[in-house]
Amino acid sequence: MAAPSFAESKAPVPAQTEAGKLPRIAPDASTFRLANGLDVVVIPDHRAPIVTHMMWYKIGAADDPHGKSGIAHFLEHLMFKGTKAHPAGEFSAKVSEVGGVENAFTTADATSYYQTVAKDQLGMVMGFEADRMQGLQLTDPVVLPERDVILEERRMRTDNNPGAQLSEAMDAALFQNHPYGIPIIGWAHEMAGLTREDAVGQYERYYTPNNAILVVAGDVTADEVKKLAEETYGKLPRRAEPAPRNRPKEPEPLTERNVVLRDQRVSQPSWTQVYLAPSYTSGQRGEAEALDILADVIGSGATSRLYRSLVVEQGLASSAGAYFSGDGLDYGKLGFYATPRGDVSLDKVSAAVDAVLAEVRAHGITAEELALAKKRTRAATIYSQDNQAMLARIFGSAMINGQSLEDVQDWTRRVDAVTLADVAKVAEKYLDKRRSVAGSLLPAPADGRS
């Protein structure tokens, strides 16, 4: 089972209330909205006197203007450059001084900033974060050197990594029209042209309280968070009214695609395949839950169908697995992968995976497989609640895409409602090779690559 995405579904809770025996995610969590439109989620966890404070903005790489790829991620870097009240480095220094940790990240759908600190420092980080929501100061001497930093980051993470290059090329082939096909970090030639004006425009359009969700998880109560939020974020005005996120849609796929990357740095060939799928937000009722079960049965662990067939029974691969990524605003991905054993060809590995998928598509899964997948889901739900930062991320990533608090809390119930027929239906519908892109990573002679 893929790590729970706890994303949205409109699937009903089973009428027989077996649901009462199932775990809910953070059952004590609550939410409220400030007068300026900022949504706040509070997830109490009183096991230790620490809190994770995570600010989510509804702006990600898939929202980058045409020709300005990478601007969402670039602004994420620039948010650490200081304000009128607090010069660059002061916020980070203060978090470090009190023994906290901080970081930020950009996804296709969101940009997020977080700090984990002692409970009595929550007001401090809320004050700093509120200050940089409206007071960021950007000049060319600040912006242009940071542009060099993100270009170097791209060289390090993608251009110097054949596996990352293949993944980037596969996304570009899978999403022929939707901006999920554009790298989150951006295309290098467009990143090199990003300007201070681009960053300021992005900031003024999207970094407004009514385009954000604050998640606070840890040793707090809703009343404590509400008081601090009103004293800090509550003083900020709405600066803009971002438009609905209506992105281009994918045409119905007509043909399977193959991407091959040969590079002299590759020592171990590998094969992967991704299928265009719906997400928890965009899919029909119950589809994403069924896809989570499907991916679990096909490729989760040593008892999965792929592992048993390719690794144990046929000895073709040293590893094999599957995943479903369903937390996107517009689309999800159903993925399969395998690493050949010895000199087994990727064609042979690919054919073996196809045979496993064809069997599932033709005959579905068994009742025993369904029951075990649900059991693993319940276990993952329980384990996920052992980490307050993970909880903050689960709720933030789901709710930033329009899902409700209850959607997240009841995810296990909805997965438990999945039937054999549901799994058979999504397998038949989405395991269509015309919806897929296969990627092969191969060694190349020392004189070059292709």
Side-chain angles (χ1 to χ4, degrees):
M1 172 67 68
S5 53
F6 305 118
E8 181 185 43
S9 165
K10 292 106 184 154
V13 173
Q16 66 274 27
T17 154
E18 185 65 22
K21 299 178 183 177
L22 298 173
R24 298 186 81 215
I25 310 298
D28 297 329
S30 61
T31 184
F32 60 88
R33 176 173 291 177
L34 299 184
N36 59 15
L38 176 68
D39 286 314
V40 184
V41 180
V42 183
I43 308 169
D45 177 2
H46 301 292
R47 291 174 298 175
I50 57 175
V51 294
T52 294
H53 169 271
M54 192 172 287
M55 178 60 74
W56 292 77
Y57 291 98
K58 299 174 188 175
I59 181 69
D63 303 297
D64 289 346
H66 184 67
K68 300 289 183 182
S69 63
I71 186 62
H73 173 253
F74 188 26
L75 182 56
E76 175 214 308
H77 277 238
L78 295 173
M79 283 290 284
F80 291 85
K81 294 304 182 183
T83 66
K84 286 182 181 177
H86 302 293
E90 183 180 337
F91 187 5
S92 297
K94 189 63 179 177
V95 171
S96 178
E97 179 185 320
V98 300
V101 295
E102 64 158 358
N103 214 328
F105 57 87
T106 305
T107 71
D109 299 310
T111 310
S112 182
Y113 305 82
Y114 65 91
Q115 305 84 30
T116 296
V117 294
K119 173 183 178 177
D120 60 0
Q121 300 299 324
L122 178 59
M124 179 272 290
V125 296
M126 292 175 83
F128 272 102
E129 196 69 84
D131 173 60
R132 69 175 173 178
M133 186 186 283
Q134 73 166 4
L136 186 65
Q137 299 290 293
L138 296 179
T139 62
D140 280 347
V142 166
V143 170
L144 299 182
E146 196 65 29
R147 189 176 65 189
D148 294 334
V149 171
I150 61 169
L151 284 165
E152 179 58 29
E153 182 179 343
R154 185 189 155 85
R155 284 190 286 270
M156 180 180 68
R157 294 191 175 185
T158 304
D159 300 338
N160 289 331
N161 182 334
Q165 286 182 310
L166 178 65
S167 178
E168 184 176 272
M170 290 179 66
D171 278 343
L174 183 67
F175 295 103
Q176 300 172 83
N177 194 44
H178 189 277
Y180 283 174
I182 298 172
I184 291 173
I185 198 169
W187 299 116
H189 68 288
E190 293 184 350
M191 295 165 66
L194 295 177
T195 65
R196 186 190 73 85
E197 290 74 19
D198 294 328
V200 171
Q202 181 92 346
Y203 178 70
E204 293 298 337
R205 279 193 297 273
Y206 299 112
Y207 279 56
T208 175
N210 47 308
N211 197 48
I213 299 177
L214 170 65
V215 182
V216 180
D219 188 19
V220 290
T221 66
D223 288 343
E224 290 171 332
V225 174
K226 188 168 187 178
K227 179 176 182 296
L228 291 171
E230 288 176 340
E231 293 173 352
T232 53
Y233 298 106
K235 297 178 179 177
L236 305 180
R238 300 162 74 110
R239 298 205 313 277
E241 300 295 334
R245 304 165 87 183
N246 295 324
R247 299 156 171 170
K249 298 295 183 285
E250 281 297 304
E252 187 60 26
L254 299 177
T255 178
E256 62 183 289
R257 285 137 280 163
N258 289 283
V259 178
V260 179
L261 177 67
R262 294 185 176 86
D263 192 290
Q264 58 185 303
R265 293 167 293 185
V266 175
S267 57
Q268 174 60 58
S270 61
W271 175 91
T272 185
Q273 186 174 35
V274 289
Y275 285 74
L276 185 65
S279 70
Y280 272 88
T281 303
S282 63
Q284 296 179 16
R285 176 180 297 180
E287 283 191 326
E289 292 86 345
L291 286 165
D292 256 326
I293 293 288
L294 178 66
D296 180 280
V297 171
I298 293 177
S300 178
T303 60
S304 67
R305 290 200 180 198
L306 276 183
Y307 194 94
R308 282 190 284 114
S309 176
L310 273 73
V311 178
V312 178
E313 297 168 4
Q314 301 185 67
L316 298 175
S318 57
S319 67
Y323 63 90
F324 171 59
S325 175
D327 58 355
L329 177 62
D330 297 320
Y331 293 100
K333 293 193 291 188
L334 184 60
F336 308 96
Y337 57 88
T339 301
R341 179 178 293 172
D343 58 359
V344 174
S345 72
L346 293 191
D347 287 344
K348 198 165 186 178
V349 166
S350 168
V353 173
D354 284 346
V356 171
L357 300 187
E359 171 68 20
V360 172
R361 194 164 186 251
H363 303 292
I365 65 173
T366 68
E368 182 182 9
E369 288 174 326
L370 178 64
L372 288 173
K374 290 180 179 179
K375 185 176 181 180
R376 285 189 288 267
T377 300
R378 288 194 287 274
T381 302
I382 293 170
Y383 297 149
S384 72
Q385 299 181 72
D386 194 39
N387 183 321
Q388 66 172 229
M390 177 60 72
L391 276 174
R393 187 156 180 159
I394 288 169
F395 276 82
S397 62
M399 296 178 70
I400 203 73
N401 287 338
Q403 301 154 33
S404 72
L405 186 78
E406 291 75 21
D407 289 332
V408 183
Q409 292 176 314
D410 291 336
W411 182 77
T412 307
R413 295 183 183 187
R414 300 199 315 273
V415 169
D416 205 67
V418 172
T419 66
L420 290 173
D422 295 332
V423 178
K425 185 176 180 181
V426 296
E428 197 278 334
K429 184 175 181 179
Y430 294 112
L431 289 180
D432 179 340
K433 291 195 76 172
R434 292 173 298 181
R435 305 180 64 85
S436 76
V437 175
S440 299
L441 188 61
L442 293 162
D447 61 348
R449 44 176 290 183
S450 63

